[in-house]
Amino acid sequence: MTEPKLDLDQIRAVIKIASESPDVAELEVASETLKVVVKKVAGAVRAVVSTPASSPSASPAAVPSTQPAATGSTDQLVSITAPMVGTFYRAAKPDASPFVAEGDLVEPGQAVCIIEAMKLFNEIQSEVRGRVAKILVENASPVEYGQLLMLVDTTAP
Amino acid sequence: MTEPKLDLDQIRAVIKIASESPDVAELEVASETLKVVVKKVAGAVRAVVSTPASSPSASPAAVPSTQPAATGSTDQLVSITAPMVGTFYRAAKPDASPFVAEGDLVEPGQAVCIIEAMKLFNEIQSEVRGRVAKILVENASPVEYGQLLMLVDTTAP
Amino acid sequence: MFRKLLIANRGEIAVRVIRACRELGIRTVAVYSEADRHALHVRLADEAFCIGPPPAAESYLNIPNIMSTAELLGVDAIHPGYGFHAENPHFSEICQDVNIAFVGPSPEAIALMGNKAAARQRMKAAGVPVVPGSNGPVRNEAEAIEVSKTIGFPLIVKAAAGGGGRGMRVVHTREDLRRALQTAQAEAEAAFGSGEVYLEKYVEEPRHIEIQILADTSKNTLYLGARDCSIQRRHQKLLEESPPPGLRERYLGALGKAAVRAAHAINYTGAGTIEFLMDRDSRFYFMEMNTRIQVEHPVTEMITGLDIVKMQIAVAAKEKLGINQGDVHYSGHAIECRINAEDPRQDFRPSPGTLTAFVPPGGPGVRVDTHAYAGYVIPPYYDSLLAKVIAWGADRPEAIARMRRALMEFEISGVPTTIPFHLMVLDNAFFRRGEVYTNFVQRRIDLSVLTPRLTAVRD
Amino acid sequence: MFRKLLIANRGEIAVRVIRACRELGIRTVAVYSEADRHALHVRLADEAFCIGPPPAAESYLNIPNIMSTAELLGVDAIHPGYGFHAENPHFSEICQDVNIAFVGPSPEAIALMGNKAAARQRMKAAGVPVVPGSNGPVRNEAEAIEVSKTIGFPLIVKAAAGGGGRGMRVVHTREDLRRALQTAQAEAEAAFGSGEVYLEKYVEEPRHIEIQILADTSKNTLYLGARDCSIQRRHQKLLEESPPPGLRERYLGALGKAAVRAAHAINYTGAGTIEFLMDRDSRFYFMEMNTRIQVEHPVTEMITGLDIVKMQIAVAAKEKLGINQGDVHYSGHAIECRINAEDPRQDFRPSPGTLTAFVPPGGPGVRVDTHAYAGYVIPPYYDSLLAKVIAWGADRPEAIARMRRALMEFEISGVPTTIPFHLMVLDNAFFRRGEVYTNFVQRRIDLSVLTPRLTAVRD
C-alpha cells in the first residue's frame, strides 16, 4: 500500500480555521488518513489580544524559527527562517535562475536564497537534507528577523 | 480506496457551535470518518480578578440567600439570610431568652431572630422545619443584605 | 472635615468620590447590590456593605437599607453621586433628620429645581433669561393658544416634572397645538405621575451650554467656566467640552454671572450646573439646573485644575471654598467622551457582557474615569456608562488629536462600545470647525456607515 | 513634518513616542525582539518588524537590523527613546549618513557630553558653574594630591566615561587617595573600556536638581523648569518632582539660564537635560547633560502643559519651537513614581513574571505611562520599569495626597513592585517637609520594615 502524501493545503486550511476562531485554544481534526492538532500560542493573552492573529507581520513569524513546523507531522517539515532583517531574493542576480524551487532536493550547506541587508548579500543555507516543500516568501520582499522562508520535507526520498 | 477530503465547512460549523455555547470549554465530535475536538480558551482574564475571594464582606454573603448551603450535604442544610440591612438580635428584648439556640427544632414560620432597621424590629422566620445547626452571627452585630445568619438541618429528627 | 462618608451610588462616580475622599483623608463606605459584589467601588472603599438584590429599586434606591448601613457603620456624610437619589429632596431630608450630612444642596433647592415650571418662574424673577413661554403650567388649549400669540411658533410643550425628553412635543403650527398638548400631558402623567405641562418658544438648532457652579455656606458662589454638551443623542449627552468652541469671553462672563444669580436666588450650596440653551445669535436662556455633580465635571477640572468633588465635599462639611472668582483660571481645552457599553450600529443598544480585554489609554493630557477592568462583568441592571475619557490640549485641535489617539489605543473586547461613534464625531469637518448644535448627531453623523471599529491596530 | 518614524526602543518610552506621533499624524514603525512579540508598542504602532532574538545586544542594539528595517519600510526619522542607542554618537551618525533624521542632537554634541571630563571643561569655559576639581583627567597620585590641595577633602574620584555610580570613589583623607584612585581606574577600565578618572570636590548631602531644555535649529533654546530627582537608590532615580520643593524662584532663573548657556555652548538641538548638584546653600554645580528624552520628562509636561516629545520630534523635523521663554508658564506641582517590577524587600531585585492583574489608577490629576496590561508577561531581558505614575496637584501637599491615593488604588498582581517603597517615601515626615538629598533613601527609609503592600484594600 502506498503512503499517501501529506496534503499541505489541508493542513494550512485547518490552521487557518483555528487562527480565525478567537475562542479556540486547541483544535484537533482527524480523518482516516490525517490527524491535525493545532495548539495556539499562549491562548490567554493572544486571545485577549486580537491583533496578532490578524497582523500580517506577526502571523508568519509566529511559527518558531528553525523549529519543526507546527503541523501534525512535526518530525517531517523543517523550517528555514530569516537570520536577519533584509530583502529576500531567490536568485543571486536578477537574471540568474533561483537557487531552489519547490520540489527540489537540498543538501545541508546548500544555498537556498539570499537576504540583502545594508548592501550586503547574505547567502542562506539549508541545515538539513530534504525536499523543498514550500517557499513562503515572494522574491524581493522584505523579511523580518525569524520570518519563515521555506519548509523542507526531510522524509522525502 | 478513495481519499476522503477534510470537510472544512463541517469543522467550521463545530467550532461555531462551541463558540456560541458559553458554558462549553471543550467539545469533541466524532463520526465514522471525522473527529473534531475543540478546546476553548480558558478564562485567562477571569483569573485576573483575585480580590473578591479574599474580601471579608463578600465571603459570608457569597452563600446564596435562602438556598441550600454550599457544603457537601447540600440537601440537608438550609441557610437563613438577612432580608435587609440592620442589627441582628437573638432575642426580642435584652433580658428575654433567645428565640432559638443551636440544636433547637424550628417549624416553618417560627421566629428565629430579629433584625432592627430604622428603629423597626423585623422578626425573621424559618421557612423550613429542622434543627438549628449553626448560628453564624453574634448577637447585636450589624448584618448586610443577604448575610448568612443561621443554618438549619432539615434531616434532623 | 468628615470622618467617614458613605457613597450611595455605584460605577465610575462611586470610584470618583472614593478618590476624592482618600485624598481628603476621609474613610469611605461603599454600598452595593448583589450584582456588584466584584465592582471596583466595593474593592476600593475602606468598608463595603451589601444593601440588596440586583434591581436598583431594591438596592441603590432602597432608602431603609442605605440609611441603616449609614447608621450601623457610623458615617457622618452621604454622597449621592448622580442619578439614583441625587436629586431626591426626600432623601436629602432624611439625611438631615438623622444628622448625617448630605453632600448636596438643601431639600428645598432640590425640590424647587425639580419642578421645571417653578424653577423657570424663580429664575425669571431673579433676572436669569428664560425662554419666552407660558407663565407656569397651561391647563387647556385655550390657554395654550393665548400663550402662542405672544411667543409665536415653533414652540415646545414640556412636562413640568420632566426630563430626558419624555413629555416633550415640538409644535410648528396652531393646528397641531391641541393634539401635542394632549399627548404631552398623557406622557407626562405616565412618566412622572403629573400631567402638568408648560409652553416655551422652540429655539432652533440651539447649543447646549452649561455653567458649573460651586457655592459654600458663606454665600461665596463661583462659576467654573462653561461646557458645551451639544453632542447628544435623544437628549443623552455623549461628548462634552470646555470651553465651548467659539464662545467669546464676554458671553462666558454673562453666562457665569447669570448662573451665580440663579444659585443665589435659591440659596444654593455645593456643586451644581445651570444648563442654558444658546441660539445662533449667542442669546442664551435658562433651561434647567442639575442640583448634583455631573458626569461631565472632569472637563471643567481639566481646564481649571480644581477638584470639584473634593470642593463639593468640603463645602458640605461647612468649609469655605478658600478661593474667589478671581482665583479661577482657565488653561487650554478639554473634551470628554462617554464610552458606553452600547452598540452604536444597533441604535445604541446597551450591551452588557464580560470585558475580555480592557486596556485604558494613558500618556500626556489623558484622564480616564472608570470602574471597569479586565475581566469585569458588566451587569445588565444599571446604566451603560463604562468609562469616561477626558483629553486636555493646549488648544482645541490638540485636544481633538489627543482624544483621537486615546480612543484609538483604548482596547476593549467583549462588548461593543461607543468608541467608533466618537471617532466619527472627532473626524467630522463640522465638529472640527466647532459647528455643533443639539441635533448635530442627527444632521451630521451617518450611523449607517459606522465601521465595527475605526481601529488603530495595524491593518 | 515626518511621514513615518521608527522607534528604536521598547517599553513605555516606545508607547510614549507612538502617542506623540499619532497626535502629530506621523505613521509609526515599531521594532521588537522575539521576547516582545505581544508588547504594547508592537500592537499600537502602524507597522511592526521583528529585529532579533530576546537579548538586547542582538535586537534593540542590533544596528544593521534596525537600519535595514528603517530602509525597507521607508521611514524618514528614527526616535531612539532613552537607553539603548539614545546616546550613541555612532548611531546618530549612521542615521545622518543614510539621510534619516535622528530625533536627537548632533553626533558631536552626544560625543562631547558622553565624555564627562570634556563636558566639564566645555561647561566651565561657557560659564556654567562646575564642581571645583581637576582640570581634566588625573594620571597619577602626585597630580591628584596637587589637585586636592586646591579643592580640599572630601573629594570624589570619577570615571571620565562613567555613569551609574561605577568607577566612583569618595575620598575623605589624603591617605586614602592612592587606593581610591587605583580602584576607580580599574573599575572604569572594566566598565567603560577607559581608565581615565578625574577629581571633584565632594558635595555633601547634595540635591539632584535638573533643568529640562528644548532647542530648535534656529537657536531658540527654552528651559522648562527644574526637577528634583534626589530620591535615588544607588544612583537610580525612583521619584522625581517639579518644581523642586523649596527652591526659590531666583534660583530657578539662574539654573535655567545656566542650562541654556550650556546648550548654546555645544550647539544643542532637541530635548535634553542638564543635571546639577545643589548644596545646602543653594549653590549649584553642573554634573552632566543627558542628550535625550528622560524617563522623568512627564513631571515637566504636567506643570507646563507642553508636550515635550511632540516638540522634540518637531524640532528634529527642523520646525521652530513656536514659543519663547516668556510663553512657558508653570502651574501646580507634579510628582512621578517609577513603578518597577522589583522587590524592594529583596534589595530591589528585578522580578519578571506575568501580570495576573493590572488595574492602573485614574481620575483627576493622575497620568499613567505604561506598556503593561493585564496578562502581560514581563520578559527577563530588559529593564524593570513597568509603569510611571505622575500625579499633579495645585500644590505639593495635594500632589502627594493624590499620588498616595493613586498608588493605593494601583492593583498589580503577579510580580512585586516598588509601590510599597513609594508609599513609605510619601508618608515620610522629612519628605513631606521637602528635606530631600541624594542619600535620602539610605538615611530616611528603613527598607526592613516595608510591608508587602500598604494596601488600600479593606482589611
Side-chain angles (χ1 to χ4, degrees):
Chain A
M1 198 173 156
T2 60
E3 172 72 27
K5 265 216 149 200
L6 279 179
D7 188 334
L8 299 174
D9 285 334
Q10 283 202 5
I11 298 169
R12 251 178 241 115
V14 172
I15 293 175
K16 189 156 181 282
I17 291 171
S19 297
E20 288 169 358
S21 313
D23 297 339
V24 173
E26 198 173 324
L27 178 64
E28 184 174 330
V29 177
S31 71
E32 274 169 39
T33 53
L34 179 69
K35 179 176 164 187
V36 179
V37 182
V38 181
K39 289 183 188 173
K40 283 164 75 178
V41 183
V45 182
R46 295 280 297 276
V48 167
V49 185
S50 50
T51 333
S54 64
S55 134
S57 63
S59 13
V63 178
S65 67
T66 68
Q67 290 289 319
T71 68
S73 52
T74 46
D75 46 347
Q76 292 163 0
L77 288 179
V78 169
S79 34
I80 299 176
T81 59
M84 69 196 66
V85 174
T87 308
F88 170 88
Y89 290 110
R90 288 189 52 194
K93 286 179 203 167
D95 51 354
S97 55
F99 289 103
V100 290
E102 287 181 10
D104 282 3
L105 203 65
V106 292
E107 298 291 337
Q110 185 181 333
V112 293
C113 65
I114 268 175
I115 294 178
E116 183 205 339
M118 311 292 283
K119 315 276 183 257
L120 288 176
F121 291 85
N122 305 277
E123 227 177 63
I124 309 302
Q125 302 167 348
S126 175
E127 288 178 6
V128 295
R129 184 182 187 283
R131 208 171 279 283
V132 176
K134 191 77 192 165
I135 299 176
L136 295 134
V137 179
E138 287 290 308
N139 190 50
S141 309
V143 289
E144 61 184 341
Y145 175 85
Q147 186 167 343
L148 183 55
L149 306 174
M150 298 180 188
L151 291 173
V152 177
D153 183 349
T154 54
T155 61
Chain B
M1 194 175 159
T2 60
E3 171 74 24
K5 270 227 152 193
L6 284 176
D7 188 334
L8 300 174
D9 285 335
Q10 282 200 8
I11 299 170
R12 256 182 231 111
V14 172
I15 292 175
K16 188 156 183 283
I17 291 170
S19 297
E20 289 169 357
S21 314
D23 297 339
V24 172
E26 196 173 325
L27 177 64
E28 185 174 328
V29 176
S31 70
E32 272 170 42
T33 52
L34 179 70
K35 180 178 163 187
V36 178
V37 181
V38 180
K39 288 183 190 173
K40 282 165 73 179
V41 178
V45 184
R46 300 272 297 277
V48 164
V49 192
S50 49
T51 330
S54 66
S55 139
S57 65
S59 13
V63 179
S65 65
T66 70
Q67 290 290 318
T71 69
S73 52
T74 46
D75 45 350
Q76 294 165 357
L77 290 179
V78 169
S79 35
I80 299 176
T81 59
M84 69 195 66
V85 175
T87 307
F88 171 88
Y89 290 110
R90 290 188 53 193
K93 289 179 200 168
D95 52 353
S97 55
F99 289 103
V100 291
E102 288 179 11
D104 283 3
L105 204 64
V106 292
E107 297 292 336
Q110 184 180 333
V112 294
C113 64
I114 268 175
I115 294 179
E116 182 204 342
M118 312 292 283
K119 318 272 183 262
L120 288 176
F121 291 85
N122 305 278
E123 227 176 62
I124 309 303
Q125 301 167 350
S126 175
E127 287 179 7
V128 295
R129 183 182 188 284
R131 208 171 278 282
V132 176
K134 190 82 193 159
I135 299 175
L136 294 133
V137 179
E138 288 288 308
N139 190 51
S141 310
V143 290
E144 62 185 340
Y145 175 85
Q147 186 167 340
L148 184 54
L149 306 174
M150 297 180 189
L151 292 173
V152 177
D153 183 350
T154 55
T155 62
Chain C
M1 187 47 76
F2 302 122
R3 214 177 31 75
K4 203 193 231 185
L5 182 147
L6 181 147
I7 301 109
N9 216 305
R10 63 177 303 283
E12 70 85 19
I13 194 63
V15 171
R16 174 71 186 89
V17 175
I18 291 170
R19 286 177 171 146
C21 287
R22 188 157 287 154
E23 291 180 26
L24 291 168
I26 300 170
R27 282 182 66 81
T28 48
V29 174
V31 294
Y32 63 98
S33 77
E34 289 183 320
D36 276 342
R37 204 170 285 289
H38 303 144
L40 199 55
H41 76 284
V42 175
R43 290 156 59 185
L44 289 179
D46 295 308
E47 295 174 76
F49 230 60
C50 182
I51 53 163
E58 297 171 56
S59 48
Y60 295 106
L61 291 168
N62 185 330
I63 296 184
N65 280 359
I66 293 171
M67 297 313 295
S68 291
T69 304
E71 295 199 58
L72 285 173
L73 301 188
V75 309
D76 46 8
I78 293 182
H79 196 300
Y82 50 69
F84 296 136
H85 286 307
E87 287 172 299
N88 176 1
H90 176 56
F91 185 74
S92 160
E93 208 167 0
I94 291 173
C95 292
Q96 250 180 19
D97 289 349
V98 296
N99 267 318
I100 291 176
F102 173 81
V103 181
S106 67
E108 296 73 28
I110 300 175
L112 181 79
M113 285 301 178
N115 182 313
K116 304 302 163 199
R120 186 183 144 83
Q121 278 179 291
R122 180 73 69 94
M123 292 302 107
K124 205 172 162 184
V128 179
V130 298
V131 180
S134 60
N135 217 351
V138 291
R139 258 160 299 270
N140 51 46
E141 199 189 347
E143 267 186 45
I145 286 172
E146 215 39 56
V147 174
S148 77
K149 284 179 186 157
T150 348
I151 65 175
F153 288 95
L155 59 76
I156 189 162
V157 186
K158 280 188 179 178
R166 284 175 301 180
M168 269 195 193
R169 278 290 175 287
V170 177
V171 184
H172 290 274
T173 62
R174 187 171 153 170
E175 289 65 44
D176 297 338
L177 194 55
R178 186 164 79 169
R179 186 150 20 136
L181 208 64
Q182 286 169 346
T183 327
Q185 278 169 336
E187 256 184 56
E189 179 71 44
F192 314 108
S194 152
E196 277 195 358
V197 298
Y198 61 102
L199 303 189
E200 269 182 13
K201 177 178 170 58
Y202 180 63
V203 182
E204 286 183 277
E205 293 221 325
R207 290 169 70 174
H208 174 119
I209 307 274
E210 61 185 33
I211 302 286
Q212 173 73 52
I213 62 135
L214 203 47
D216 64 19
T217 48
S218 318
K219 303 253 181 224
N220 183 9
T221 302
L222 307 178
Y223 64 91
L224 306 178
R227 294 186 288 253
D228 189 313
C229 312
S230 299
I231 308 294
Q232 309 182 342
R233 197 186 144 273
R234 302 199 180 152
H235 300 276
Q236 298 299 317
K237 296 168 187 169
L238 286 163
L239 180 152
E240 302 98 347
E241 55 185 315
S242 184
L247 185 73
R248 295 214 219 117
E249 208 150 320
R250 67 185 159 109
Y251 290 117
L252 174 61
L255 280 159
K257 286 187 189 94
V260 170
R261 272 202 303 281
H264 278 313
I266 58 168
N267 287 317
Y268 197 82
T269 57
T273 300
I274 325 281
E275 299 188 329
F276 295 97
L277 282 183
M278 183 171 267
D279 70 16
R280 291 168 190 160
D281 304 313
S282 296
R283 272 187 303 248
F284 59 87
Y285 308 104
F286 171 84
M287 193 167 24
E288 65 177 44
M289 177 169 189
N290 291 321
T291 55
R292 51 164 166 86
I293 192 72
Q294 274 184 302
V295 176
E296 61 269 29
H297 76 275
V299 295
T300 303
E301 293 184 326
M302 293 286 268
I303 64 155
T304 59
L306 298 172
D307 188 319
I308 298 172
V309 179
K310 283 203 293 198
M311 293 171 90
Q312 180 194 28
I313 294 170
V315 300
K318 308 256 187 279
E319 292 194 4
K320 294 197 177 188
L321 280 170
I323 58 168
N324 295 309
Q325 191 63 49
D327 301 318
V328 179
H329 301 290
Y330 309 107
S331 165
H333 194 97
I335 302 175
E336 171 180 282
C337 287
R338 301 192 189 189
I339 313 303
N340 297 335
E342 294 173 357
D343 191 344
R345 283 170 303 155
Q346 304 261 354
D347 201 31
F348 288 77
R349 186 171 62 190
S351 306
T354 301
L355 299 176
T356 51
F358 189 83
V359 185
V366 172
R367 166 177 170 183
V368 180
D369 277 37
T370 183
H371 58 295
Y373 53 86
Y376 176 61
V377 182
I378 306 166
Y381 306 100
Y382 317 110
D383 77 49
S384 55
L385 181 62
L386 195 57
K388 307 189 303 201
V389 178
I390 306 101
W392 179 92
D395 51 25
R396 190 168 187 265
E398 185 177 52
I400 291 174
R402 198 161 264 166
M403 178 61 88
R404 212 175 165 283
R405 80 90 182 142
L407 296 186
M408 301 272 273
E409 76 185 59
F410 202 162
E411 189 181 335
I412 302 177
S413 304
V415 298
T417 73
T418 46
I419 288 178
F421 165 83
H422 285 297
L423 287 172
M424 221 170 163
V425 172
L426 294 170
D427 286 344
N428 183 281
F430 293 93
F431 176 78
R432 293 201 164 222
R433 285 199 299 269
E435 291 178 28
V436 292
Y437 14 82
T438 54
N439 63 342
F440 176 89
V441 176
Q442 288 147 265
R443 269 194 67 181
R444 302 298 183 197
I445 300 294
D446 181 1
L447 292 170
S448 71
V449 299
L450 258 189
T451 49
R453 172 137 170 131
L454 298 169
T455 175
V457 173
R458 283 173 290 132
D459 41 287
Chain D
M1 187 46 78
F2 303 122
R3 214 178 30 76
K4 201 193 231 185
L5 182 148
L6 181 147
I7 301 108
N9 216 306
R10 63 178 301 284
E12 69 86 18
I13 194 64
V15 171
R16 174 70 187 88
V17 175
I18 291 170
R19 285 176 172 148
C21 287
R22 187 158 286 153
E23 290 179 26
L24 290 167
I26 300 170
R27 281 181 66 81
T28 49
V29 174
V31 294
Y32 62 98
S33 76
E34 289 182 321
D36 277 341
R37 205 170 281 292
H38 303 143
L40 200 55
H41 76 284
V42 174
R43 290 155 60 185
L44 289 178
D46 295 308
E47 293 174 78
F49 229 60
C50 182
I51 53 162
E58 298 170 55
S59 50
Y60 296 106
L61 290 168
N62 185 331
I63 296 183
N65 280 0
I66 293 170
M67 297 312 296
S68 291
T69 304
E71 294 199 57
L72 286 172
L73 301 188
V75 309
D76 47 7
I78 293 183
H79 197 299
Y82 51 69
F84 296 136
H85 287 307
E87 285 171 300
N88 175 0
H90 177 56
F91 185 74
S92 160
E93 208 168 0
I94 291 173
C95 292
Q96 250 181 18
D97 290 347
V98 296
N99 268 318
I100 291 176
F102 174 80
V103 181
S106 66
E108 294 74 29
I110 299 175
L112 180 79
M113 285 301 180
N115 181 314
K116 302 303 163 200
R120 185 183 144 83
Q121 277 179 292
R122 181 72 69 96
M123 290 303 105
K124 205 172 162 185
V128 179
V130 298
V131 180
S134 61
N135 215 353
V138 291
R139 257 161 299 271
N140 50 48
E141 200 190 346
E143 267 186 48
I145 287 172
E146 216 38 57
V147 174
S148 78
K149 284 177 187 161
T150 348
I151 64 175
F153 289 93
L155 58 76
I156 189 163
V157 186
K158 279 189 180 178
R166 283 176 302 179
M168 268 193 193
R169 279 291 175 289
V170 176
V171 185
H172 289 275
T173 64
R174 188 172 151 171
E175 288 65 46
D176 297 339
L177 193 55
R178 187 165 78 171
R179 184 144 29 133
L181 207 63
Q182 285 169 346
T183 329
Q185 279 169 336
E187 256 184 58
E189 179 72 45
F192 313 110
S194 152
E196 278 194 357
V197 297
Y198 61 102
L199 304 189
E200 267 181 18
K201 180 180 167 59
Y202 179 63
V203 182
E204 287 183 277
E205 293 221 325
R207 290 170 68 175
H208 174 121
I209 306 274
E210 60 184 34
I211 301 287
Q212 173 73 53
I213 63 135
L214 204 45
D216 65 18
T217 49
S218 319
K219 305 253 180 225
N220 183 9
T221 302
L222 309 178
Y223 65 91
L224 306 178
R227 295 187 287 254
D228 189 314
C229 311
S230 300
I231 307 295
Q232 311 182 342
R233 200 190 142 270
R234 301 199 180 153
H235 300 273
Q236 299 297 318
K237 296 169 187 167
L238 285 163
L239 180 152
E240 302 98 348
E241 54 184 313
S242 186
L247 185 73
R248 292 213 220 117
E249 207 152 321
R250 66 184 159 107
Y251 290 117
L252 175 61
L255 280 159
K257 284 184 190 99
V260 169
R261 272 202 303 281
H264 278 314
I266 56 168
N267 288 315
Y268 197 82
T269 57
T273 300
I274 326 282
E275 299 188 330
F276 295 96
L277 282 182
M278 183 171 267
D279 69 16
R280 292 170 189 158
D281 304 314
S282 295
R283 272 188 302 247
F284 59 87
Y285 309 102
F286 171 84
M287 193 168 22
E288 64 177 45
M289 177 169 190
N290 291 321
T291 56
R292 50 164 166 86
I293 192 74
Q294 276 185 300
V295 176
E296 60 269 29
H297 75 274
V299 293
T300 303
E301 293 184 327
M302 294 286 268
I303 64 156
T304 60
L306 299 172
D307 188 320
I308 298 172
V309 178
K310 284 204 290 200
M311 294 171 91
Q312 181 195 29
I313 293 169
V315 300
K318 309 258 187 278
E319 293 193 4
K320 295 196 178 188
L321 280 170
I323 57 166
N324 296 309
Q325 191 62 51
D327 302 318
V328 179
H329 301 291
Y330 309 107
S331 164
H333 194 96
I335 301 175
E336 171 180 282
C337 288
R338 301 193 190 189
I339 313 304
N340 298 334
E342 295 173 357
D343 190 345
R345 282 169 304 153
Q346 305 262 351
D347 201 30
F348 288 79
R349 187 173 61 194
S351 307
T354 300
L355 298 176
T356 49
F358 189 82
V359 185
V366 173
R367 165 176 170 185
V368 180
D369 277 37
T370 184
H371 58 293
Y373 52 87
Y376 175 62
V377 181
I378 306 167
Y381 306 100
Y382 317 110
D383 77 47
S384 55
L385 182 63
L386 195 58
K388 305 187 306 200
V389 177
I390 306 100
W392 180 92
D395 51 25
R396 190 167 186 264
E398 186 176 52
I400 292 174
R402 199 162 264 165
M403 178 62 87
R404 213 175 166 284
R405 80 88 182 142
L407 295 187
M408 302 272 274
E409 77 187 58
F410 201 162
E411 188 180 336
I412 302 178
S413 305
V415 298
T417 73
T418 46
I419 289 177
F421 166 82
H422 285 297
L423 288 173
M424 221 170 163
V425 172
L426 295 169
D427 285 346
N428 182 281
F430 293 92
F431 176 80
R432 294 201 163 220
R433 284 199 300 268
E435 291 178 29
V436 292
Y437 14 80
T438 54
N439 62 342
F440 176 89
V441 177
Q442 288 147 265
R443 269 194 67 184
R444 302 297 183 198
I445 300 295
D446 181 1
L447 293 170
S448 71
V449 300
L450 260 188
T451 49
R453 173 144 169 123
L454 299 168
T455 177
V457 173
R458 284 173 292 129
D459 40 290

